[in-house]
Amino acid sequence: MKEVLPKFDSTFSIDCVVFGFDEGELKILLIERNEEPFKDWWALPGNIVGEDESLDQSASRILNELTGLTNIYMEQYYTFGDVNRHPQGRVVSIAYYALLRLGGEKSVKPLSTYAKQAYWRNVKDLPKLAFDHQKIFEKGLEKIKRRIKHQPIAFELLPEKFTLTQLQNVYEVILNKKLDKRNFRKKMLSFGVLRDLDEKQQGVSFRAATLYKFDKRKYAKLFGKEISF
Amino acid sequence: MKEVLPKFDSTFSIDCVVFGFDEGELKILLIERNEEPFKDWWALPGNIVGEDESLDQSASRILNELTGLTNIYMEQYYTFGDVNRHPQGRVVSIAYYALLRLGGEKSVKPLSTYAKQAYWRNVKDLPKLAFDHQKIFEKGLEKIKRRIKHQPIAFELLPEKFTLTQLQNVYEVILNKKLDKRNFRKKMLSFGVLRDLDEKQQGVSFRAATLYKFDKRKYAKLFGKEISF
DNA sequence: AATATAGCGTGTATATTTTACACTAAGTAA
DNA sequence: TTACTTAGTGTAAAATATACACGCTATATT
């Protein structure tokens, strides 16, 4: 059977741009490579797709190995296949971005052997990256910039309960521009997808803000009606 | 060198959803397969990526073999990699959509040996498709539906000189809804990306409409400012 | 207890954009 | 000349987006 398919040495891999939002900054996870090629360079987390894995499964696995978490929000966004992108042969890489809730942890336990360590790095201050990972990152960032305007992905970067100021912050950092507080709140609440939890922020040394939750149910009911920023 | 990369029998292919607009209908090119698997089935045009081709190059080549044309507008939009999507082994397929100006030809000369013939088929009346091509097509259609709202891709489906009615038609068919003529024209002209050619339609048996051209120069100058429908 | 501090939460007026809607003009064909 | 078919045009009302500033409240400090 298989002999019908033309073959040459080639393989495919997944690379992930894992975004997190913390201390008012948008960050991504980078690993320090432990192996050739690009040993000791910084790189996006990624790996070869297994024989019995779909692409999504492979991305999930990689994210799980990296963070210990399951059910991470992720989305495939582009495939990179330049002939010489990998020095050891033809490797086509399918890129995913993932969005993570950071609860304050600064580092994620690195489980794989292919990395020394994983670190969160502010997207505004990235080191030189291995392979074509700079390009992959840039396209991923562009992607979420577009997507956050119409899709409810900002919530994936926040804890389940969040304040409107925190939410506005995510938008401002990703869109890279200041938004008007009153207008932001008016518009955001007008979509009717936030549930007021009748609960206040804890442990702040000033007036506590109301906590909200993203209501998937209500969002689903919007159907076509698009959120738009 | 290469032995560092884990390998198993696998390969990658390109599949193209080639859109054309003709007689007020949105169509795609389908081929009738000449080989197993799915011999005699309808399928999207596609092929295996060559060893020395980038993905874009491969897609260009496939489109050229199919149509004889070069410089076709195309864009990669998703990669399909379910384990069992191909009965003969692991084949990951990178999907492109392409947009073609149809000048009235009904069929495109099929050059490859892997197809008996290529035909234009109305997207509203497609036959059963081989592999997971139905899914690939649907995602491609969704993609251009989204994209036409913000990007100037409608022009790729029209001859260089077109009337506003023709343009509105493209929008209506792709978005699948009627638009108001006056509002459409007002908005479209307000973007300032159309050049009035001071020229009229020829050979129509009624009042001839003014011809316009998409002005890439002016569009480039808009920069961030997005078209929006 | 009084005061300072820091972020929370709110409303209105204006400008802009979107929507709804129907007739005359121009060219062709009979 | 008439009939037919599509081109081309404007306005008013509604909805949405923008610009803008201050009193409130909880905590921390003295």
Side-chain angles (χ1 to χ4, degrees):
Chain A
M1 280 274 268
K2 295 203 179 188
E3 64 281 355
V4 183
L5 289 169
K7 288 275 168 46
F8 56 89
D9 260 4
S10 67
T11 190
F12 25 89
S13 65
I14 305 284
D15 283 308
C16 297
V17 184
V18 185
F19 290 98
F21 185 80
D22 195 28
E23 297 175 324
E25 291 179 350
L26 185 66
K27 301 178 175 183
I28 62 169
L29 264 184
L30 291 183
I31 58 156
E32 205 178 348
R33 286 179 62 84
N34 218 356
E35 295 181 359
E36 294 294 346
F38 290 100
K39 186 162 171 9
D40 301 329
W41 283 58
W42 291 97
L44 297 173
N47 212 329
I48 301 300
V49 177
E51 187 156 5
D52 298 314
E53 286 177 326
S54 72
L55 303 177
D56 285 358
Q57 282 164 1
S58 183
S60 289
R61 171 179 58 80
I62 289 166
L63 290 170
N64 175 258
E65 287 170 359
L66 185 71
T67 66
L69 302 172
T70 54
N71 265 98
I72 294 176
Y73 180 92
M74 58 169 215
E75 198 146 8
Q76 185 203 302
Y77 68 90
Y78 202 73
T79 296
F80 296 83
D82 280 356
V83 176
N84 294 311
R85 59 175 296 282
H86 197 296
Q88 292 182 331
R90 186 70 190 273
V91 182
V92 168
S93 188
I94 297 108
Y96 282 72
Y97 69 79
L99 305 176
L100 231 54
R101 293 171 224 284
L102 295 186
E105 339 62 299
K106 287 287 100 55
S107 105
V108 169
K109 56 172 173 166
L111 305 165
S112 318
T113 57
Y114 71 111
K116 291 181 186 167
Q117 180 63 281
Y119 293 100
W120 288 105
R121 298 289 303 249
N122 189 323
V123 296
K124 296 207 163 174
D125 174 34
L126 293 182
K128 221 175 196 186
L129 299 182
F131 305 103
D132 52 358
H133 286 187
Q134 177 67 26
K135 203 165 113 192
I136 296 178
F137 157 71
E138 282 166 10
K139 196 139 187 161
L141 181 57
E142 256 177 54
K143 204 75 185 186
I144 66 163
K145 274 190 187 182
R146 291 191 160 273
R147 196 136 320 181
I148 200 175
K149 288 188 182 175
H150 304 291
Q151 305 286 134
I153 63 171
F155 310 108
E156 304 294 335
L157 291 166
L158 291 171
E160 246 201 305
K161 301 173 178 186
F162 52 83
T163 70
L164 287 175
T165 300
Q166 287 167 344
L167 184 60
Q168 181 176 343
N169 229 261
V170 171
Y171 276 87
E172 289 184 339
V173 169
I174 293 184
L175 296 177
N176 200 23
K177 69 174 176 190
K178 272 234 148 305
L179 300 173
D180 179 86
K181 180 158 75 161
R182 277 179 289 193
N183 293 338
F184 178 84
R185 288 163 178 255
K186 209 186 317 173
K187 197 183 208 177
M188 186 53 79
L189 291 172
S190 78
F191 296 133
V193 299
L194 297 187
R195 191 159 68 245
D196 182 331
L197 293 174
D198 262 329
E199 222 179 306
K200 300 284 173 186
Q201 227 176 355
Q202 298 289 323
V204 285
S205 70
F206 45 79
R207 177 180 178 185
T210 302
L211 290 170
Y212 289 84
K213 214 182 138 173
F214 173 60
D215 190 329
K216 283 190 185 175
R217 258 197 154 67
K218 288 181 187 165
Y219 176 71
K221 283 182 191 158
L222 291 185
F223 257 109
K225 266 175 200 163
E226 268 196 347
I227 284 173
S228 180
F229 265 92
Chain B
M1 280 271 269
K2 296 203 180 190
E3 64 282 356
V4 183
L5 290 169
K7 288 274 168 48
F8 55 90
D9 261 4
S10 68
T11 189
F12 25 89
S13 66
I14 304 283
D15 283 308
C16 297
V17 184
V18 185
F19 290 99
F21 185 79
D22 195 29
E23 298 174 325
E25 290 177 351
L26 185 66
K27 300 176 177 184
I28 62 169
L29 263 185
L30 291 184
I31 58 154
E32 205 179 347
R33 285 178 61 86
N34 218 356
E35 294 182 358
E36 293 295 347
F38 291 101
K39 186 161 171 12
D40 300 329
W41 283 58
W42 292 95
L44 297 173
N47 213 329
I48 302 299
V49 177
E51 187 157 4
D52 297 314
E53 286 176 328
S54 72
L55 303 178
D56 285 357
Q57 282 164 1
S58 184
S60 290
R61 171 179 58 80
I62 289 165
L63 290 170
N64 175 257
E65 286 171 359
L66 185 72
T67 66
L69 302 172
T70 53
N71 264 97
I72 295 176
Y73 180 92
M74 59 170 212
E75 196 146 9
Q76 186 202 303
Y77 68 90
Y78 202 73
T79 295
F80 297 83
D82 280 355
V83 176
N84 294 310
R85 59 174 297 281
H86 197 296
Q88 292 182 332
R90 187 71 191 272
V91 181
V92 169
S93 188
I94 297 108
Y96 282 72
Y97 69 79
L99 305 175
L100 230 55
R101 294 171 224 281
L102 296 186
E105 338 64 300
K106 286 288 100 54
S107 106
V108 170
K109 56 172 173 164
L111 305 165
S112 318
T113 56
Y114 71 110
K116 292 180 184 165
Q117 180 62 281
Y119 293 99
W120 288 105
R121 298 288 304 250
N122 189 323
V123 295
K124 296 206 165 178
D125 174 34
L126 294 182
K128 221 175 196 184
L129 300 181
F131 306 102
D132 53 356
H133 286 188
Q134 178 66 27
K135 202 165 113 192
I136 296 178
F137 157 71
E138 282 166 11
K139 195 137 187 162
L141 182 56
E142 256 176 55
K143 205 76 186 183
I144 66 163
K145 274 190 187 183
R146 290 191 160 272
R147 195 135 322 182
I148 200 175
K149 289 187 182 175
H150 304 290
Q151 304 287 133
I153 64 170
F155 310 108
E156 304 293 335
L157 291 166
L158 291 171
E160 246 201 306
K161 301 172 177 186
F162 53 83
T163 70
L164 287 176
T165 300
Q166 287 168 344
L167 184 59
Q168 182 176 344
N169 228 260
V170 171
Y171 275 87
E172 288 184 338
V173 169
I174 293 185
L175 295 177
N176 199 24
K177 68 174 177 190
K178 273 233 146 309
L179 300 173
D180 178 86
K181 180 158 78 162
R182 276 179 290 191
N183 293 340
F184 178 84
R185 290 155 106 92
K186 207 189 316 173
K187 198 180 206 177
M188 186 53 80
L189 291 171
S190 78
F191 296 133
V193 299
L194 297 187
R195 191 158 68 244
D196 182 331
L197 293 175
D198 263 330
E199 221 179 307
K200 299 285 173 186
Q201 227 175 354
Q202 299 288 324
V204 284
S205 69
F206 45 79
R207 178 180 177 184
T210 301
L211 291 171
Y212 289 84
K213 212 181 141 174
F214 173 60
D215 190 330
K216 282 190 186 177
R217 258 200 152 65
K218 287 181 187 164
Y219 176 71
K221 282 182 192 160
L222 291 186
F223 257 109
K225 267 173 201 166
E226 269 196 346
I227 284 174
S228 181
F229 266 92

